[in-house]
Amino acid sequence: MSAHTAGKDSSVIITNSRLSKVFGIHRFVAGLFALQLFFFCETLTGRGPASGVTNTSAPDAGELILCQSWAGFIAMVAYIVHQARSFRRQDQMGIGMGLLVCFALETSILAYYIAMMPLSKESIPTVVGLMLIFFGLFLAYFWALLEPTPMVMTDATVDPKNLLTTVLSLHRIAMNMFSLMLLLYPSSTFTHLFNDKITSTNDILLTQAWGCFVLAVASFAHVGSTIPSNAARAAVGRSMVVGFAPITVLYIYRLHQGELREPLGIALPLMAGCLIAYLTALVSMGWSVGLGSRVGTKKKSD
């Protein structure tokens, strides 16, 4: 059966579609990048011993917390694109469109900073490299989404809405607002989050880069709230836990180390609140719903 024919059934999973192939590659790229940001942030900022540059100071606390916060949302992306390979076609399209917009914004923001803003000398090669990577991902998703796969809605079984549906719906609204704040008002948003002030152009850039991925996660929440299958919805919920859990642990650790100012900003309560909401919703429906299962009927295109 061809991809064109298979795509007419919205419950069919086309494992050889362009989008499934891009998801399959992107999950490794995103996973490795998230690990680098969590554990080797110095290589991204271009400062400190891990970067090989020893004549400059290590990244400040603001850069570290922003890199690692960004990493949590990239981890969400890595998990969701891994799971999305088994989603219905229209749900895959929703995930793909969210990432297309994310990478278009990332590329535009990085290009603007390279051309117009006074970046530190050590960070310019990294920023250029990131811009090329995000532009490449934008082209990959643009190419994948151009694949002609008409979709006709069928009378597929729709699982009843539950607490996770409500959490995803509310989270979509909250994350859309949060992303706009990070993108449009990075300095003031950073202050509210961490009760501290941005000290460099690098910090502003990292805040806005984080905002692009928050916007992508908001699109995932939208897709998750409209998916008819509890198994796929649970997969979206688990992707949120994959990101919010390490971020919450990170903030608690930074607070214990005295690297977050007291009184606390809203970052820790915000991330911990999201984590608790998703854990509660997933436990209420059974955490393992959909683990190892496929949503729909798997077919390969010729």
Side-chain angles (χ1 to χ4, degrees):
M1 179 179 289
S2 69
H4 182 86
T5 304
K8 291 182 179 180
D9 184 351
S10 64
S11 66
V12 170
I13 303 160
I14 311 169
T15 56
N16 279 350
S17 69
R18 292 180 187 177
L19 202 48
S20 293
K21 291 176 181 176
V22 171
F23 284 156
I25 297 171
H26 184 206
R27 58 181 167 158
F28 296 112
V29 175
L32 290 171
F33 188 37
L35 288 174
Q36 182 186 18
L37 284 173
F38 266 127
F39 299 110
F40 306 103
C41 181
E42 296 91 342
T43 60
L44 180 71
T45 59
R47 298 194 287 174
S51 66
V53 179
T54 57
N55 59 348
T56 55
S57 60
D60 60 35
E63 287 184 33
L64 285 172
I65 201 78
L66 285 168
C67 280
Q68 292 170 326
S69 300
W70 187 17
F73 281 76
I74 296 172
M76 293 182 199
V77 170
Y79 188 89
I80 198 65
V81 296
H82 171 70
Q83 292 293 323
R85 295 174 304 132
S86 61
F87 286 3
R88 301 175 311 156
R89 177 63 180 175
Q90 68 264 37
D91 301 325
Q92 290 183 334
M93 294 284 284
I95 298 294
M97 284 299 298
L99 289 168
L100 182 74
V101 172
C102 168
F103 294 132
L105 284 172
E106 288 280 15
T107 303
S108 301
I109 288 170
L110 292 172
Y112 170 77
Y113 274 83
I114 292 169
M116 304 297 293
M117 300 298 284
L119 294 171
S120 65
K121 192 174 181 180
E122 296 80 15
S123 66
I124 290 176
T126 302
V127 175
V128 172
L130 285 176
M131 184 191 71
L132 294 175
I133 291 171
F134 288 133
F135 183 61
L137 287 167
F138 166 79
L139 291 177
Y141 277 101
F142 185 77
W143 169 75
L145 290 166
L146 284 177
E147 184 177 24
T149 312
M151 296 170 293
V152 178
M153 294 302 295
T154 61
D155 296 328
T157 302
V158 178
D159 291 331
K161 294 183 178 180
N162 48 36
L163 179 59
L164 183 57
T165 310
T166 303
V167 170
L168 286 164
S169 298
L170 295 174
H171 186 216
R172 172 194 62 186
I173 298 170
M175 287 296 103
N176 275 318
M177 295 174 61
F178 185 38
S179 68
L180 289 176
M181 291 172 63
L182 289 168
L183 289 167
L184 300 178
Y185 309 104
S187 296
S188 59
T189 303
F190 181 89
T191 299
H192 289 303
L193 285 171
F194 303 111
N195 191 28
D196 204 350
K197 291 184 178 180
I198 278 181
T199 58
S200 70
T201 304
N202 284 6
D203 291 350
I204 298 175
L205 173 56
L206 287 169
T207 302
Q208 293 183 309
W210 180 19
C212 295
F213 275 79
V214 174
L215 185 61
V217 168
S219 75
F220 301 162
H222 171 70
V223 171
S225 67
T226 59
I227 285 178
S229 162
N230 274 338
R233 194 178 304 141
V236 177
R238 289 193 298 272
S239 76
M240 303 299 180
V241 174
V242 165
F244 288 125
I247 293 176
T248 301
V249 172
L250 165 72
Y251 289 171
I252 293 172
Y253 172 77
R254 296 291 184 198
L255 178 64
H256 179 71
Q257 293 294 108
E259 296 173 7
L260 288 180
R261 290 185 179 225
E262 296 191 50
L264 285 175
I266 65 171
L268 178 56
L270 177 64
M271 300 301 166
C274 289
L275 175 61
I276 292 169
Y278 276 108
L279 286 174
T280 302
L282 286 165
V283 169
S284 72
M285 67 183 293
W287 170 269
S288 62
V289 170
L291 276 176
S293 66
R294 293 292 181 183
V295 184
T297 304
K298 185 187 294 186
K299 291 185 181 287
K300 291 187 178 182
S301 57
D302 295 330

